[in-house]
Amino acid sequence: MHKPVQWGILGASKFARQQMGPAIHAADGARLAGLATSDPANAEPFMRYCPDLYVFDNYDALLTDPEIEAVYIPLPNHLHVEWSLKALDAGKHVLCEKPMTMRAVEFDTLIAKRDQTGLLAAEAYMIVHHPQWQLTRKLIADGAIGKLVHITGAFSYDNRADTGNIRNRAETGGGGLRDIGVYVIGGARFATGQEPVSVSGAIRWENDVDVFTEIRAQFPGFTYSTYVSTRMHPHQEMVFHGETGVIRLTAPFNARVFGEARVEMHRPGFEVQVTRFPADDHYKLQVEAFCRTIREGVVYPCPLEFVRGTQDVIDSVFDGAIAL
């Protein structure tokens, strides 16, 4: 039996409080040991489920504590690279919220630091740990829908009323493409194992923040079209359309929060086979995979090189998109 990995969190964000803090606390092989926040009141919701949590009054204090082995970083997007590098320099394994960088080239520094330190550094790209995505990847690879012809996808929510939200501020790396575009893009790359050969896009901007983005791409052998928005009614799905069948994911990105995760297999004769995943928590599964890599040396299923590829696509969309 391995000793649980001792985790610390940099910052008491809402997402850390509601999702990743509980996931670390519940994960096998992990122990939520520390939280860094300048306001002790922010620690109270964490301590309701983790009463022995040690609260640090600044980030550096947590990073210098020898008991903390791994850190989760849920800071605003523009701070991710800086604090990931600081944590690695402090000898901590790093799980950082997406997007881990603002541009793909920044991954080169992170990868070099990861390799130099021998520590695990990863983006918190949780969907690849969910069995619905692992099943989808296998079905496509096994030819369950014949030759893949086209992928469509969508991810939207509406946060226009929350004007102070970091996702609505250009200076903190806000916008829909960086926040949720990683899912429609990375999900397609993960499920197919393919990289696009050409990418185009169209963006609607508000106050220098992208609030609607349409993405089109050509992959080897199939086409792709998706959209993301922070100004539309909540919706999400991914559809993989082949010559002999269709795979549809009904809650591909926020399983259990948006609804029950289901993989629908549409076959000839209007037959629909549904595989349900009512209880799987991809945040918890992500932490457990991270801990297995640290303790057992198991290859981590979502390395920095993979998420760099998604950021490459995002960069291409930003660089070449037309304005709507």
Side-chain angles (χ1 to χ4, degrees):
M1 179 70 70
H2 296 287
K3 175 187 175 184
V5 175
Q6 306 297 297
W7 283 79
I9 300 177
L10 297 186
S13 72
K14 178 181 178 181
F15 189 77
R17 181 175 71 246
Q18 294 183 347
Q19 300 292 348
M20 282 302 296
I24 294 170
H25 181 65
D28 293 337
R31 175 177 175 262
L32 181 54
L35 171 72
T37 175
S38 58
D39 185 351
N42 290 335
E44 292 177 4
F46 293 84
M47 298 183 76
R48 289 177 196 146
Y49 59 82
C50 189
D52 60 344
L53 185 69
Y54 189 88
V55 180
F56 299 85
D57 61 10
N58 64 83
Y59 301 157
D60 288 308
L62 185 149
L63 292 183
T64 57
D65 189 302
E67 297 300 314
I68 300 296
E69 300 175 83
V71 295
Y72 167 64
I73 301 176
L75 301 173
N77 295 343
H78 69 298
L79 299 176
H80 288 174
V81 172
E82 174 188 354
W83 283 99
S84 292
L85 291 173
K86 285 183 178 180
L88 289 167
D89 279 332
K92 313 302 183 188
H93 302 281
V94 172
L95 181 64
C96 179
E97 260 312 318
K98 50 78 197 162
M100 200 169 183
T101 73
M102 294 293 95
R103 301 286 295 187
V105 68
E106 293 178 287
F107 272 108
D108 298 339
T109 303
L110 291 169
I111 290 169
K113 182 65 69 175
R114 176 202 66 187
D115 293 346
Q116 174 197 333
T117 60
L119 297 163
L120 176 57
E123 183 179 88
Y125 194 65
M126 75 292 185
I127 68 169
V128 301
H129 303 277
H130 198 288
Q132 67 171 330
W133 280 99
Q134 295 160 8
L135 174 61
T136 298
R137 182 184 177 109
K138 185 178 187 305
L139 289 170
I140 292 172
D142 290 348
I145 57 173
K147 180 182 182 295
L148 180 62
V149 178
H150 187 65
I151 298 174
T152 58
F155 195 179
S156 64
Y157 60 84
D158 190 345
N159 73 346
R160 77 187 73 203
D162 191 2
T163 55
N165 192 298
I166 60 172
R167 295 166 184 80
N168 282 323
R169 295 165 54 195
E171 65 272 19
T172 56
L177 188 53
R178 288 192 176 102
D179 186 43
I180 53 179
V182 295
Y183 296 121
V184 295
I185 295 168
R189 293 178 57 244
F190 177 77
T192 65
Q194 298 289 326
E195 301 294 342
V197 296
S198 64
V199 179
S200 63
I203 299 177
R204 183 166 72 246
W205 300 87
E206 288 182 12
N207 300 318
D208 296 322
V209 170
D210 57 292
V211 298
F212 175 88
T213 302
E214 181 184 19
I215 310 156
R216 294 183 179 274
Q218 177 71 53
F219 284 74
F222 62 90
T223 51
Y224 166 96
S225 60
T226 59
Y227 67 86
V228 296
S229 177
T230 60
R231 295 294 185 271
M232 295 170 68
H233 183 77
H235 176 65
Q236 56 183 259
E237 71 172 348
M238 287 291 289
V239 179
F240 300 84
H241 199 146
E243 290 182 341
T244 60
V246 170
I247 300 170
R248 177 174 177 259
L249 281 68
T250 60
F253 313 124
N254 293 126
R256 300 197 309 165
V257 176
F258 185 76
E260 180 185 68
R262 300 195 305 272
V263 176
E264 299 177 355
M265 266 289 303
H266 296 250
R267 302 178 183 275
F270 301 103
E271 175 192 354
V272 180
Q273 176 183 328
V274 181
T275 305
R276 292 178 164 83
F277 303 90
D280 294 278
D281 182 343
H282 47 202
Y283 301 115
K284 178 175 175 285
L285 293 170
Q286 174 181 241
V287 174
E288 291 174 347
F290 196 92
C291 292
R292 283 194 298 272
T293 297
I294 294 172
R295 289 289 188 255
E296 303 171 24
V298 176
V299 175
Y300 193 68
C302 191
L304 292 181
E305 287 82 357
F306 174 82
V307 289
R308 189 194 194 285
T310 296
Q311 189 61 50
D312 265 325
V313 178
I314 290 173
D315 290 353
S316 296
V317 175
F318 275 129
D319 293 344
I322 62 171
L324 295 174

